[in-house]
Amino acid sequence: MKRSSRRAFIGKGEAAAGAVLTATPGIIMTPAAERPPIIHHVFFWLKNPTSTADRDSLVAGLKTLAGIPLIKELYVGVLADTEKRDVVDASWQVSELMFFTDLSGQANYQQHPLHLEFVKNCSHLWARVVVYDAMNLFNRTS
Amino acid sequence: MKRSSRRAFIGKGEAAAGAVLTATPGIIMTPAAERPPIIHHVFFWLKNPTSTADRDSLVAGLKTLAGIPLIKELYVGVLADTEKRDVVDASWQVSELMFFTDLSGQANYQQHPLHLEFVKNCSHLWARVVVYDAMNLFNRTS
């Protein structure tokens, strides 16, 4: 997509962003248009943190979640080799990042057969899981 | 973009994914094609967690980072109102999610004048920051 048409697309999206909703008391939030606004980011600490076999098994398991249509975008990653500053948590091994259209999509995903199958097949691999669920108020994607 | 052309685009991307690199000892990683593979996700705990004014100030500050070209995608969000399961960390207030093309882009972003200005203007607002840096091995974006 050329830069000009991308900008036109974004402009159209902003103009169409009519919906205003309240998710947390005390703040009026307008979800960013044209991108799925709900982010679900999960970090996994392996029982065997140095096992590349276990890491690869978990990555393979997470890839099967791609078959769930409720997930609008899926990213499966590992710890990046960035500078180890005090604020950086570099103690985990595998991550999944998902975008959902709305809160009900995220809730229904939890009960999807492919997700339950993933948990059944892979939960023995991890010692700890931490989930962050965010609602985007703003995005710039180009 | 129609579904058919989207698929064609993804197919082309996969075919072009020739580069293989090692980021962590013991694993050969092929970055996912056609999407910026480095994810930088930051969570902020406000000094005044219930202050919507402070939250809005931090969100406004984070939006200024959109002026940094090194950031390929930027999402600014707040805690989503998902189910409060044991694994969900719902103690933070504001988040930023960024995609970078490579590790050097993420490193150089740290020193960008707009980022330094943001830290100068907004760091009084937060009590705690946690950063997760991931490298994507896989993505599905449609």
Side-chain angles (χ1 to χ4, degrees), chain A residues 15-133:
Chain A
V20 173
L21 55 87
T22 54
T24 311
I27 188 170
I28 303 292
M29 301 197 294
T30 306
E34 301 292 348
R35 302 289 289 188
I38 304 298
I39 285 180
H40 178 70
H41 208 166
V42 184
F43 298 91
F44 297 89
W45 284 256
L46 294 172
K47 277 185 189 158
N48 304 307
T50 58
S51 167
T52 53
D54 284 9
R55 180 169 54 182
D56 292 349
S57 293
L58 182 52
V59 166
L62 288 168
K63 286 182 181 178
T64 66
L65 302 178
I68 303 177
L70 284 166
I71 303 170
K72 296 309 167 193
E73 301 189 20
L74 169 66
Y75 301 83
V76 179
V78 294
L79 182 69
D81 191 21
T82 53
E83 188 187 352
K84 299 299 174 283
R85 298 174 293 137
D86 285 349
V87 291
V88 177
D89 186 336
S91 62
W92 55 279
Q93 285 81 43
V94 178
S95 64
E96 64 172 54
L97 171 67
M98 298 174 176
F99 285 69
F100 291 92
T101 304
D102 49 34
L103 291 172
S104 65
Q106 200 278 336
N108 291 334
Y109 150 75
Q110 297 291 337
Q111 301 308 320
H112 192 283
L114 281 178
H115 180 237
L116 299 177
E117 186 75 8
F118 159 74
V119 172
K120 192 179 96 181
N121 292 339
C122 293
S123 60
H124 68 283
L125 295 169
W126 63 74
R128 182 179 172 225
V129 174
V130 174
V131 177
Y132 294 89
D133 289 327

Side-chain angles (χ1 to χ4, degrees), chain B residues 38-53:
Chain B
I38 303 298
I39 285 180
H40 177 71
H41 208 166
V42 184
F43 298 91
F44 297 90
W45 284 256
L46 294 172
K47 277 186 189 157
N48 304 307
T50 59
S51 167
T52 54

Side-chain angles (χ1 to χ4, degrees), chain A residues 27 35 41 55 66 68 71 73-78 80 82 85 87 89 131-133 135 137-140, chain B residues 27 35 41 55 66 68 71 73-78 80 82 87 89 131-133 135 137-140:
Chain A
I27 188 170
R35 302 289 289 188
H41 208 166
R55 180 169 54 182
I68 303 177
I71 303 170
E73 301 189 20
L74 169 66
Y75 301 83
V76 179
V78 294
T82 53
R85 298 174 293 137
V87 291
D89 186 336
V131 177
Y132 294 89
D133 289 327
M135 173 168 175
L137 304 181
F138 171 84
N139 69 56
R140 175 179 59 74
Chain B
I27 187 169
R35 302 290 288 187
H41 208 166
R55 180 170 54 184
I68 303 176
I71 302 171
E73 301 188 20
L74 169 66
Y75 302 82
V76 179
V78 294
T82 53
V87 292
D89 187 335
V131 177
Y132 294 89
D133 288 328
M135 174 167 173
L137 304 181
F138 171 83
N139 70 56
R140 172 175 68 68

Side-chain angles (χ1 to χ4, degrees), chain B residues 9-132:
Chain B
F9 182 74
I10 292 166
K12 185 182 151 209
E14 284 171 351
V20 174
L21 54 88
T22 54
T24 311
I27 187 169
I28 304 292
M29 301 197 295
T30 306
E34 301 291 350
R35 302 290 288 187
I38 303 298
I39 285 180
H40 177 71
H41 208 166
V42 184
F43 298 91
F44 297 90
W45 284 256
L46 294 172
K47 277 186 189 157
N48 304 307
T50 59
S51 167
T52 54
D54 283 9
R55 180 170 54 184
D56 291 350
S57 293
L58 182 51
V59 167
L62 288 168
K63 286 181 180 179
T64 67
L65 303 178
I68 303 176
L70 283 167
I71 302 171
K72 296 308 168 194
E73 301 188 20
L74 169 66
Y75 302 82
V76 179
V78 294
L79 182 68
D81 190 21
T82 53
E83 187 187 354
K84 299 298 174 281
R85 299 174 292 137
D86 285 348
V87 292
V88 177
D89 187 335
S91 63
W92 55 279
Q93 286 81 42
V94 179
S95 64
E96 65 172 54
L97 171 66
M98 299 174 177
F99 285 68
F100 291 93
T101 305
D102 50 33
L103 291 172
S104 66
Q106 199 278 335
N108 292 333
Y109 149 74
Q110 297 291 337
Q111 301 308 321
H112 192 283
L114 281 178
H115 180 237
L116 299 177
E117 186 75 9
F118 159 74
V119 173
K120 192 178 96 181
N121 292 339
C122 293
S123 60
H124 68 282
L125 295 169
W126 65 74
R128 182 179 172 227
V129 175
V130 173
V131 177
Y132 294 89

